[in-house]
Amino acid sequence: MRNRPTQLAGALGAEEGKLLACVHCGLCLEACPTYVQTGDENDGPRGRLYLMRAVEEGRLGVESRSFTRHIERCLGCRACESVCPSGVEYGQLLEAARADIAAAGRGRGFTSRALRFALRHVWLHPARLRLAFRLARLLRDSRLPRLLLRAKLKGLLPARVEFALALLDSSSAASLSDETVGRFSEAKGGVSVEGADITSTAAASNASTSEEIGRSTETKESAALLFQGCVTEGLFARVNRATARVLEAQGCRTRAPRGQVCCGALHAHAGDLEGARRLARRNIEAFEDAGAAPVVTNAGGCGAMLASYAQLLARDEAFAARARAFSPRVRDVSQQLADVGIREGARLDRLTATYDASCHLLHGQKARVEPLRVLSTIRGLSLAPLEGSDVCCGGAGVYNLVEPELSSRVLEEKLRHVRETGAQILATGNPGCHMQIGAGARLAGMKLRVAHPVELLDESYRRAGFYRNDE
Ligand code: SF4
Ligand code: SF4
């Protein structure tokens, strides 16, 4: 009889056909950043799937180092899913494998255990999480992280601490070169979305100004419910405000339902599927109460997680049907904009931007062209193609802190390609990618602004005078 660990066996029970569907063709290998870096078959999707099968069939222990090591070195980027001809749903199997590793008490040591503690005792409690982010903002806005980084304490600060400071600093609105800070300062008079009906205070469109400034595409009247996200609202509230203003400018009434919580992605990736389910149930309730409009996110990681609730709660009698109704409502802000139409704003200063795709936005939500369409609407911004735009940056949630060595190798490759573009701005649709690339650029001394595409569109709208509150 097979010695099946509970969670993995559970996933295989539901998705066993997908796991067995792997025909070992190897087409996924070159798409896998960890395989490309190490050249080790077990650091690629095919090898990891083989290890999962070995555990599922009782030929390998879940606590064995060969299993835990290679499963934990996976970025969870899901690039392998996009190229797999057999439709192996790798991401779901990875989460189940990690749940078994966590249940067996195995992990990456102190950092991993500290993360699990924080996920359980902070992230599952909204008041504590708000306090944690408030403290993080206080530290960031004190500019102490920047001063410490500028003091070049290399060798005195542990590399992991230095990178953590750079991550925090890169979430700041002013984390770009001095020349571009002036040009792209955050819009004043932003709208408040925290638990509020945005429509009452949001910016209003100004058709006559739009006609003077340039072409405007046709827009449809619509509505959206904004999913704010814990990291986005905690460290990038400006992106949530910009998202609301930009949607409103297209005639899309936008509000952020009360009662929403973290999406649960960090829990799922760390193997805490029960924690992820708890959060998923609360989000479903919050958005059910708010009506039937699309659930719009501006973070690729959150969007892919919200879209996976149907699978996450498939065996929950009370929530399975509700989750199946919820997941198809989820869309990225770029997909919503592509659907409702994007007006053209004012010309920005002549700058070159490049775009890096968030893995979960690309491979989870399948938003490949929509973010580029948002950027191409912004006049004055020239877009330089980024080689390897569809390859992970090495951020992957907290992978950069728990697997710093492999993460930095993946990041170096990304920064090399960014340098080749000569761009002053890198646009990306996920806070984790934003901080990872921003931190890497900062530590490498690059002059680079990292921004969400809607921040740039918002800036062009503000210049066009679309926002009454900004006058
Ligand atoms: S591409 Fe799909 S079928 Fe081929 S080895 Fe990779 S996971 Fe298996
Ligand atoms: S999720 Fe990413 S890192 Fe993991 S096996 Fe697939 S391609 Fe490789």
Side-chain angles (χ1 to χ4, degrees), residues 289-344:
D289 291 346
V295 177
V296 173
T297 76
N298 51 33
C302 301
M305 186 65 209
L306 297 172
S308 76
Y309 281 0
Q311 182 272 328
L312 184 70
L313 295 171
R315 293 180 203 169
D316 182 320
E317 272 185 28
F319 275 85
R322 295 164 74 178
R324 280 199 302 277
F326 175 86
S327 286
R329 292 171 60 193
V330 178
R331 43 206 339 223
D332 184 65
V333 58
S334 61
Q335 294 170 318
Q336 180 73 0
L337 286 168
D339 190 39
V340 301
I342 312 172
R343 300 172 67 196
E344 223 175 49

Side-chain angles (χ1 to χ4, degrees), residues 31-34 43-45 48 74-80 90:
C32 173
T34 54
D43 280 331
R48 289 179 176 127
C74 174
L75 288 151
C77 66
R78 294 171 62 180
C80 45
Y90 178 86

Side-chain angles (χ1 to χ4, degrees), residues 19 21-29 45-46 49 80 83-88 90:
L19 180 59
C22 175
V23 294
H24 314 296
C25 65
L27 287 174
C28 51
L29 294 182
R46 185 171 62 180
L49 288 166
C80 45
V83 296
C84 176
S86 300
V88 175
Y90 178 86

Side-chain angles (χ1 to χ4, degrees), residues 3-9 11-12 19 40-74 90 92-108 116 271 403:
N3 175 26
R4 291 182 171 187
T6 317
Q7 297 289 351
L8 189 56
L12 290 175
L19 180 59
D40 184 337
E41 171 77 17
N42 289 324
D43 280 331
R46 185 171 62 180
R48 289 179 176 127
L49 288 166
Y50 184 80
L51 291 171
M52 287 182 205
R53 273 190 72 176
V55 167
E56 190 268 340
E57 291 170 359
R59 291 182 281 113
L60 188 67
V62 70
E63 71 290 340
S64 65
R65 182 164 165 76
S66 53
F67 184 64
T68 56
R69 184 80 195 117
H70 296 294
I71 292 299
E72 294 199 327
R73 277 158 70 96
C74 174
Y90 178 86
Q92 292 171 14
L93 295 163
L94 176 70
E95 286 174 3
R98 286 188 169 161
D100 268 353
I101 291 170
R106 310 296 293 185
R108 296 175 175 117
R116 287 204 199 105
E403 292 289 346

Side-chain angles (χ1 to χ4, degrees), residues 107-120:
R108 296 175 175 117
F110 175 77
T111 312
S112 185
R113 286 196 297 277
L115 167 67
R116 287 204 199 105
F117 182 88
L119 290 176
R120 188 142 285 273

